[in-house]
Amino acid sequence: MNIEQLYRQVIMDHYKHPKNKGLVADSSYLMIHLNNPSCGDEMTIQMHVKDHKIDDIRHQGTGCSICCSSASVMTETLKGQDIDQAIKIISEFYELIKGYPYNPEILKGDAIVYQGVSQFPARIKCATLAWKAVEQGIKKIKEEEQHG
Ligand code: ZN
């Protein structure tokens, strides 16, 4: 098995057996909904932040295998992270997706399987949709912090 086949297998595994999938009925969670019209992907993210840390993160969506699997990988990558660290991880993920060098000390785990996406520019939005939702959520939390 070559590395591309291995990566594809990890992506399909997250697609078929997603982690942290399903929303919770809890108003203390911040909810962000994004869609990707070019592919038809729809993604809702719920995140719970306590003491500056993402202590829970959920996803629910419909779309292609890249988008849905990436949401699962994102929750595994960012759950338990400090929100400032999460922003750093997300920006390293964007570098990886664009085919640029990324910092493997910051971006770890299954997220690296998406590095092949840079060869398919139309799929970049699919791979980053869930990550963009969390980024928006963190920005909102930080704005609220600043304005008391
Ligand atoms: Zn898609």
Side-chain angles (χ1 to χ4, degrees):
M1 195 193 289
N2 66 30
I3 194 81
E4 279 181 23
Q5 285 172 316
L6 176 70
Y7 285 177
R8 206 171 303 137
Q9 195 172 315
V10 173
I11 290 169
M12 287 318 289
D13 194 48
H14 274 280
Y15 181 58
K16 288 178 184 160
H17 309 285
K19 306 284 187 335
N20 303 302
K21 190 170 182 181
L23 304 180
V24 291
D26 184 337
S27 61
S28 67
Y29 280 68
L30 182 64
M31 187 142 64
I32 308 104
H33 180 82
L34 288 182
N35 65 344
N36 171 22
S38 65
C39 181
D41 304 319
E42 296 261 353
M43 184 57 60
T44 303
I45 296 295
Q46 272 184 324
M47 55 194 287
H48 191 265
V49 173
K50 200 182 171 202
D51 299 329
H52 226 249
K53 211 170 99 174
I54 302 172
D55 66 359
D56 195 19
I57 186 159
R58 315 284 314 168
H59 67 101
Q60 180 74 57
T62 53
C64 66
S65 58
I66 297 286
C67 176
C68 295
S69 65
S70 181
S72 170
V73 170
M74 177 281 290
T75 60
E76 279 203 319
T77 308
L78 300 181
K79 194 170 173 176
Q81 297 288 346
D82 175 272
I83 57 172
D84 290 325
Q85 183 64 18
I87 288 289
K88 285 184 196 158
I89 295 169
I90 292 166
S91 63
E92 292 296 330
F93 184 72
Y94 294 163
E95 295 299 295
L96 169 112
I97 288 292
K98 287 182 274 185
Y100 299 152
Y102 68 97
N103 185 342
E105 297 293 313
I106 295 175
L107 186 67
K108 296 174 187 168
D110 287 348
I112 62 160
V113 303
Y114 294 95
Q115 54 188 263
V117 172
S118 61
Q119 295 161 42
F120 308 95
R123 310 316 292 276
I124 287 176
K125 279 184 185 165
C126 304
T128 55
L129 191 65
W131 301 71
K132 284 213 169 91
V134 177
E135 185 184 29
Q136 282 190 12
I138 293 173
K139 281 184 177 159
K140 201 173 167 192
I141 288 166
K142 289 181 86 73
E143 271 167 28
E144 280 167 10
E145 252 177 16
Q146 277 168 10
H147 302 291

